[in-house]
Amino acid sequence: MRKYFFIAIILSASWYTVSAQYRESQNLWHQLVWDDEKLNLFVDTRIDFQDLVNRHAEDGRSFRAQTFRIWLVGEIVPGIRYRVRHRLNKNGVILRDNYSGATDHAWLAFDIGRTWTITVGKQSVMIGTFENDYNGADVYQGSMVFNDFDGSLTGVNVAYKTGRQVFNFQVTNSDEPQFASEEYANKALAFNFLWVGDLFNETIRTRWGYGTFQHSRNKFYNWVTIGTQFNIGKTITEVDYYTGIRNMDYGYMLNTDTLGYRYVQDQSLSVRIEYDMGRWKPFIKGIWDKRFDKWFDSTAYRSLGIEAVAEFYPFTGERTRDLRFHACYGYKNTDFRGEFGNLRNAETHTFLIGTRWMFKAK
């Protein structure tokens, strides 16, 4: 009996050794499942009840899933990270980069020492402004440029960190119709530079960028994007400005589908002021937009907008602290000019109430 007992012990020890070796030699997927630092699964959702009142157009009222996304985030080994972010409420066609249009992020980042990071894959476009840096679920009424700009492209970004400053240089595809000509869409590239700054111990923060998007072999569309944040006590003030040229079909603003793509210069300015009251975070935001049609050589329209938002974070637990409730009122007035000066102003009032939660599913 004792002999069988020792045999059982030997077999158990052997199995433990083999099992440990097997576990160490598993493929990457099994390592990700076992190690929570390597695989983090997040569900990102925002649901609103929205009431839209148009002065001279049809009103709208509905419950809407503003955001419904899955995130996969982790660090494979120290210094090598990844992120995948995919929208579940968007139909995505396969683009030039062979990714779905519903995939916002699919990248790997490699740290080289403490100062350099190289990011490869589908990623956020390195343009400036703080508005552009927000998760889309946290923007209620965006500026014209924010709403129309394709914020995810495939390429490579090189970041250099020195002290509290980070300098980014990025090269990506540029096949969007607003930038690339139809004949050059499969060749066009974009080049972006972004300074993410921290001055006076975060009293002033910057997101200043310059980008040039290829239209044809010898023609580029240039953009300047400047975002500055001021932190004084519990008050956060952000001033963002965009200006640049592109091709846009803005027929939806005129209730026509015959306009086609026009050569325009766009500008947007926004000011956002937030006061941090702990669980309550109210803010107001003002927006000014201007579209100048370079073919008509006149301003097509100008818009003024304002919104007031109250966000409430009722929970403090680790898994529920990002759960919020919010209410928003937004007003926008569009004044048509030049070739469209005979059109009446467009005026909209937006009321919404909803909830947003980005929670860790694994």
Side-chain angles (χ1 to χ4, degrees):
M1 190 71 181
R2 184 177 298 177
K3 179 176 66 174
Y4 294 118
F5 177 74
F6 283 113
I7 292 174
I9 292 177
I10 294 171
L11 289 175
S12 298
S14 300
W15 169 252
Y16 177 82
T17 303
V18 171
S19 177
Q21 292 174 348
Y22 177 72
R23 179 164 175 161
E24 290 175 359
S25 65
Q26 285 293 286
N27 60 33
L28 179 59
W29 170 251
H30 286 86
Q31 290 184 35
L32 294 177
V33 171
W34 280 326
D35 192 338
D36 205 38
E37 293 182 359
K38 293 185 172 68
L39 175 62
N40 296 278
L41 172 63
F42 295 91
V43 178
D44 186 3
T45 181
R46 175 182 148 196
I47 303 171
D48 294 338
F49 177 74
Q50 178 176 294
D51 191 355
L52 181 64
V53 180
N54 286 288
R55 183 178 180 185
H56 302 302
E58 185 178 354
D59 295 344
R61 185 176 299 113
S62 65
F63 290 95
R64 292 180 58 84
Q66 305 285 9
T67 301
F68 187 28
R69 294 183 292 204
I70 297 293
W71 297 58
L72 298 174
V73 182
E75 187 172 33
I76 300 173
V77 296
I80 302 180
R81 301 177 306 282
Y82 71 93
R83 178 189 294 174
V84 176
R85 190 176 81 187
H86 187 80
R87 304 187 204 185
L88 300 179
N89 57 341
K90 178 181 178 180
N91 292 324
V93 298
I94 302 300
L95 303 176
R96 164 188 170 193
D97 56 18
N98 213 28
Y99 286 116
S100 166
T103 301
D104 295 328
H105 291 164
W107 52 252
L108 285 170
F110 303 88
D111 293 333
I112 303 175
R114 296 183 178 182
T115 56
W116 294 92
T117 298
I118 298 176
T119 304
V120 181
K122 193 165 188 180
Q123 56 196 274
S124 295
V125 180
M126 289 292 169
I127 62 173
T129 76
F130 283 87
E131 179 187 54
N132 187 68
D133 192 44
Y134 277 97
N135 186 314
D138 297 324
V139 177
Y140 301 92
Q141 183 169 278
S143 67
M144 173 178 63
V145 176
F146 173 84
N147 290 334
D148 292 341
F149 215 97
D150 185 357
S152 299
L153 296 172
T154 300
V156 59
N157 180 72
V158 178
Y160 174 71
K161 182 178 181 181
T162 174
R164 293 178 176 266
Q165 320 306 316
V166 181
F167 300 95
N168 296 273
F169 177 70
Q170 182 186 60
V171 182
T172 66
N173 292 337
S174 178
D175 44 4
E176 283 295 303
Q178 60 182 271
F179 296 123
S181 67
E182 185 176 354
E183 298 79 13
Y184 213 75
N186 290 327
K187 303 177 184 178
L189 297 174
F191 304 87
N192 292 286
F193 173 81
L194 176 65
W195 169 40
V196 180
D198 177 351
L199 306 174
F200 311 112
N201 197 25
E202 294 191 354
T203 301
I204 299 176
R205 299 174 61 209
T206 66
R207 289 187 60 87
W208 293 9
Y210 170 77
T212 182
F213 296 80
Q214 195 168 17
H215 176 70
S216 60
R217 179 181 296 273
N218 299 314
K219 188 174 183 179
F220 291 81
Y221 291 166
N222 300 314
W223 280 79
V224 174
T225 51
I226 299 175
T228 307
Q229 182 187 85
F230 304 91
N231 297 280
I232 302 175
K234 296 183 178 181
T235 303
I236 302 171
T237 303
E238 295 167 352
V239 181
D240 292 325
Y241 176 70
Y242 311 76
T243 183
I245 56 175
R246 53 183 174 171
N247 297 314
M248 292 297 294
D249 182 350
Y250 53 93
Y252 69 95
M253 294 290 297
L254 314 171
N255 293 320
T256 178
D257 56 3
T258 61
L259 184 68
Y261 280 93
R262 309 284 302 177
Y263 185 43
V264 302
Q265 179 173 5
D266 284 343
Q267 296 182 74
S268 288
L269 172 68
S270 68
V271 179
R272 183 183 187 276
I273 303 174
E274 175 184 312
Y275 187 73
D276 188 349
M277 301 171 61
R279 294 187 179 184
W280 287 92
K281 299 183 187 300
F283 68 85
I284 59 173
K285 180 178 179 180
I287 301 171
W288 172 84
D289 296 316
K290 176 183 176 182
R291 174 158 285 164
F292 183 87
D293 192 311
K294 298 176 78 69
W295 287 351
F296 285 142
D297 196 28
S298 64
T299 298
Y301 54 84
R302 294 178 182 172
S303 296
L304 288 174
I306 190 168
E307 67 175 359
V309 177
E311 296 181 343
F312 178 51
Y313 295 81
F315 305 110
T316 58
E318 182 178 354
R319 291 187 176 273
T320 56
R321 62 188 177 190
D322 293 325
L323 172 60
R324 76 157 185 258
F325 299 94
H326 51 259
C328 170
Y329 166 71
Y331 170 79
K332 185 176 182 180
N333 184 287
T334 301
D335 177 21
F336 296 99
R337 302 290 186 92
E339 296 291 322
F340 313 110
N342 60 321
L343 298 178
R344 292 183 298 181
N345 284 15
E347 189 175 286
T348 60
H349 302 264
T350 303
F351 305 87
L352 63 84
I353 184 169
T355 182
R356 191 297 173 93
W357 191 13
M358 181 171 174
F359 63 92
K360 185 175 179 180
K362 182 197 176 299

